[in-house]
Amino acid sequence: MALRELSSLEKYLGLKKPNKYTTRGDKKIPVLQSSNGTQLVGLLTIACHLVKEAKRPELLGDSTERRALAQQWLEYRVTRLDGYSKEDVKNILQDLNLHLQDKVYLTGNQFTVADALMYYGVHPLIVDLSIQEKEQYVNVTRWFDHIQHYPGVRHHLPLVVVLRNTIYTGRHH
Amino acid sequence: MKLSVSEGNPHCIKPLAALQVTGVQVSVHYVNHDERVVPFLNRPVVPALLLPSGQHLFSPNVICRYLFEVKGQESSDLCNQWLEWEATSLQPALQLALHMAVLQGKGSEVSKVLQGHLNVLEQSLSKDNMPFLTGESVSAADVVLWASLYPVLSETSLALGERGSLKTWFDLVAAMHGCQSTAQKVLQGKGLQGMKSYMQRQPVPQSSQCRDAPPCNSN
């Protein structure tokens, strides 16, 4: 899965020459093989490297603070969303839902590479949600729908239908 | 900026040591293990750094990375790689090792659980012949890795074996700007037993998460 994400990220970044990748271990951790024989290991590390290679530093965050916030959600992605259990799903969606309550993107009002990777990571969770659950996690769903329509991000993933109108009314949380 | 930490929580060694090394001024507050510092997370998470904008950083590694960047040192690819390896590969193994040592009295198992990871560090440090993980000067990666290994490596019973380069590096970071005394203070001078009340509140780690070979290199 990680390799498809990296390939989508390369396309989004407009990198003309695709990099060479392998994976390592049972968890299929991505490894980038560069032309001079060196390797970079790990989804987060490689994603940040690609952004720098594409000379799009603003996608890592345009200030020290935003860069830290982007890193935090990238780390959340690789620690919480890779190999999650059924019980985790609820916790992850609750965390994100509360965090995104007053935000357009994960770091605030600017799109970063953390939004792209989190979108790739939560896609399998969102696909499995019922309409009712999508309404329960309304902020996640709104953010998700925004990112899947963000130009050039979706690539390898199917579009998930998100209803704009609430059909279950009178729910209290 | 305000950093919330709790006593006996090993994750708090990281940002406190990073404050020592970087010299960034932050007010430090001690809270209870179950205090909810970060409002949107559904379980209490400490350490947490409240940023000037009002947002929270709740990952100890990212807090350390941020403090180094505030001091003008941005993370290199290699530094990122070590931080990611620490969070995704070393931490699950370490949680298992600490759980066994602190709550089950199986301190002898620690070397077995961690040997693959310690070997990765030893190989990297001896191959490059550099004093620090990312080169000639200390980075967020050194502070993070040192602080996460401190509880196990500072116990004399858990010997490093023949890992000479790892020991040299570990002692080098320990001697920097009071890192060691900061760490001792977090563990309240009681070593592993200082973490007992914290560890009792943590979910039981799954050993299946730690079986994978440690995927790091240092090319």
Side-chain angles (χ1 to χ4, degrees):
Chain A
M1 188 171 123
L3 294 191
R4 284 217 304 223
E5 283 178 49
L6 287 169
S7 142
S8 292
L9 185 63
E10 284 184 349
K11 285 179 200 142
Y12 169 72
L13 292 168
L15 290 171
K16 293 276 177 321
K17 229 173 66 196
N19 286 292
K20 254 199 210 143
Y21 298 99
T22 54
T23 60
R24 195 181 281 182
D26 298 342
K27 292 182 193 162
K28 299 221 184 309
I29 292 162
V31 181
L32 180 137
Q33 312 278 354
S34 76
S35 46
N36 59 7
T38 60
Q39 296 183 331
L40 272 185
V41 185
L43 181 63
L44 185 167
T45 303
I46 297 171
C48 293
H49 172 81
L50 294 178
V51 170
K52 282 185 232 166
E53 192 182 297
K55 299 198 168 45
R56 299 282 305 277
E58 76 283 1
L59 291 173
L60 295 173
D62 59 3
S63 66
T64 310
E65 197 172 310
R66 206 189 297 279
R67 277 192 288 279
L69 290 165
Q71 288 298 319
Q72 168 162 282
W73 290 108
L74 288 168
E75 188 193 292
Y76 189 98
R77 160 66 218 273
V78 294
T79 53
R80 299 291 303 277
L81 275 154
D82 291 344
Y84 58 87
S85 68
K86 263 212 165 117
E87 200 183 315
D88 289 336
V89 171
K90 214 177 128 206
N91 290 333
I92 291 165
L93 291 172
Q94 274 178 3
D95 283 355
L96 287 173
N97 198 53
L98 264 177
H99 175 69
L100 288 165
Q101 198 166 23
D102 56 356
K103 290 173 192 70
V104 181
Y105 301 104
L106 286 171
T107 65
N109 54 14
Q110 190 202 32
F111 177 85
T112 65
V113 69
D115 291 292
L117 259 69
M118 188 70 85
Y119 159 73
Y120 297 144
V122 298
H123 192 277
L125 274 63
I126 302 288
V127 167
D128 284 345
L129 292 184
S130 65
I131 295 175
Q132 197 166 356
E133 284 168 316
K134 280 188 193 128
E135 286 183 8
Q136 191 183 343
Y137 304 111
V138 61
N139 303 315
V140 180
T141 314
R142 167 183 49 76
W143 164 85
F144 183 88
D145 196 36
H146 185 55
I147 304 301
Q148 72 176 352
H149 287 101
Y150 199 87
V153 172
R154 187 168 59 87
H155 281 291
H156 67 284
L157 294 170
L159 200 66
V160 177
V161 175
V162 173
L163 297 177
R164 302 298 178 108
N165 305 323
T166 311
I167 57 170
Y168 292 90
T169 51
R171 284 179 57 91
H172 297 285
H173 303 292
Chain B
M1 281 188 292
K2 179 173 153 185
L3 177 69
S4 300
V5 293
S6 64
E7 276 187 342
N9 175 343
H11 303 295
C12 296
I13 301 174
K14 292 176 183 175
L16 289 171
L19 285 181
Q20 294 288 334
V21 173
T22 59
V24 175
Q25 294 296 315
V26 167
S27 68
V28 178
H29 294 252
Y30 281 82
V31 300
N32 291 325
H33 294 311
D34 35 22
E35 193 158 321
R36 283 186 172 217
V37 181
V38 186
F40 60 85
L41 294 179
N42 59 50
R43 60 194 175 93
V45 174
V46 168
L49 181 69
L50 179 63
L51 296 166
S53 67
Q55 297 213 57
H56 281 96
L57 293 180
F58 55 85
S59 145
N61 293 10
V62 174
I63 294 172
C64 292
R65 196 181 185 280
Y66 173 74
L67 292 173
F68 272 84
E69 204 178 317
V70 166
K71 282 305 265 188
Q73 191 182 326
E74 283 199 33
S75 270
S76 62
D77 282 345
L78 188 52
C79 182
N80 286 343
Q81 178 172 282
W82 279 118
L83 294 178
E84 184 174 2
W85 178 75
E86 198 277 342
T88 56
S89 181
L90 177 62
Q91 268 308 320
L94 200 56
Q95 291 312 309
L96 180 67
L98 289 175
H99 184 84
M100 289 170 123
V102 179
L103 298 181
Q104 301 180 331
K106 293 187 200 158
S108 52
E109 296 286 305
V110 169
S111 335
K112 210 194 289 174
V113 176
L114 292 179
Q115 61 176 341
H117 292 87
L118 296 180
N119 288 341
V120 168
L121 284 161
E122 171 69 16
Q123 278 161 18
S124 167
L125 286 160
S126 60
K127 191 180 64 180
D128 296 344
N129 206 16
M130 297 276 200
F132 296 102
L133 287 170
T134 59
E136 292 291 347
S137 58
V138 67
S139 72
D142 295 290
V143 173
V144 163
L145 266 303
W146 177 84
S148 66
L149 291 170
Y150 178 85
V152 287
L153 294 191
S154 58
E155 293 272 316
T156 45
S157 57
L158 313 170
L160 278 164
E162 298 292 301
R163 301 181 184 99
S165 303
L166 180 54
K167 184 171 188 335
T168 306
W169 165 83
F170 185 74
D171 292 342
L172 178 66
V173 181
M176 294 185 83
H177 311 282
C179 276
Q180 179 141 351
S181 55
T182 299
Q184 278 167 347
K185 199 175 154 219
V186 172
L187 303 185
Q188 303 157 79
K190 291 187 270 188
L192 290 175
Q193 287 313 309
M195 309 186 315
K196 197 161 183 175
S197 83
Y198 171 79
M199 293 300 295
Q200 281 164 340
R201 289 156 204 262
Q202 304 309 308
V204 178
Q206 302 295 314
S207 59
S208 60
Q209 292 174 350
C210 320
R211 241 178 261 147
D212 228 354
C216 202
N217 61 37
S218 60
N219 296 320

